[in-house]
Amino acid sequence: MRGMGTKTVDETKAGTEHDETAVDATEPDGATDEAQDQDAPGTDDAASAADGSAAVEDEERGPSGVGQGAAAVVSAALGLVSLTGSWLGTVAAARETLVGQLETAADAGVATQVKEIYGDAWNTSAVWGGMFALTALIVGVAVLARPAFGTPGRTVQAPWIKSVAWAGVSLGVIGLLLAVLKYTDVLLGLPATG
């Protein structure tokens, strides 16, 4: 029951004496550290030399390639968006549909109504898809060409960056091809009327 927080006067005195000896015990350790520092003057130089060599290694390694990796992922994502469609393309196509409905007279022919209401929206969707595909293509090619214009001694690029950049370029080419085919009505053109 002694350790439960109740202390007598004698214990307090013993604790005080113990604290004083603890303080005294730490003083020689500090003095020993000072003596060790004086005995080994090269330890500071060795530590600073180790820090300097780590800094030199960081400078020799050069950039880590994080920016190239991010650009490669962006390229692949934009290529995928060009194939699947984007919110921006959907909104622009819906706007074109609304404009076509407002501008088309009620007594207009079927061919005129189909072209104004659906054809222009289809072409707008193709244009937005083509812009995403072209952006993916440009970003992917820039990532692949970047090592040629980088640091002369460092032309190595991580293999995954190349793979993802090639995926972005491929998706961009396919998306651009599909966008052109959609816009020219070669792929899923408007139905013939009349």
Side-chain angles (χ1 to χ4, degrees):
M1 293 282 187
R2 240 183 174 182
M4 299 197 64
T6 57
K7 292 186 178 183
T8 62
V9 176
D10 294 332
E11 289 175 342
T12 310
K13 287 181 184 177
T16 308
E17 291 173 7
H18 180 49
D19 290 340
E20 289 175 6
T21 57
V23 171
D24 292 337
T26 58
E27 287 177 10
D29 289 340
T32 325
D33 290 340
E34 290 173 5
Q36 288 176 352
D37 288 342
Q38 290 175 357
D39 291 342
T43 55
D44 288 336
D45 295 338
S48 64
D51 291 340
S53 65
V56 170
E57 287 177 15
D58 287 342
E59 290 175 7
E60 288 175 1
R61 272 195 321 188
S64 64
V66 173
Q68 292 180 21
V73 170
V74 166
S75 172
L78 287 172
L80 188 63
V81 167
S82 75
L83 294 176
T84 61
S86 67
W87 174 81
L88 195 57
T90 303
V91 169
R95 183 183 182 285
E96 278 300 317
T97 300
L98 181 62
V99 168
Q101 289 173 350
L102 293 174
E103 290 180 354
T104 305
D107 60 346
V110 175
T112 304
Q113 286 181 356
V114 168
K115 183 191 178 316
E116 291 295 324
I117 295 173
Y118 300 108
D120 291 345
W122 183 253
N123 289 343
T124 301
S125 176
V127 167
W128 280 102
M131 287 194 311
F132 277 105
L134 186 61
T135 305
L137 185 63
I138 290 171
V139 171
V141 167
V143 168
L144 291 171
R146 173 66 176 101
F149 301 106
T151 307
R154 178 167 161 69
T155 58
V156 178
Q157 191 175 46
W160 71 269
I161 294 175
K162 288 181 182 178
S163 299
V164 175
W166 275 113
V169 168
S170 301
L171 290 172
V173 167
I174 293 169
L176 196 57
L177 180 65
L178 289 176
V180 168
L181 292 175
K182 279 172 48 177
Y183 190 82
T184 58
D185 290 334
V186 172
L187 179 69
L188 300 172
L190 292 174
T193 55

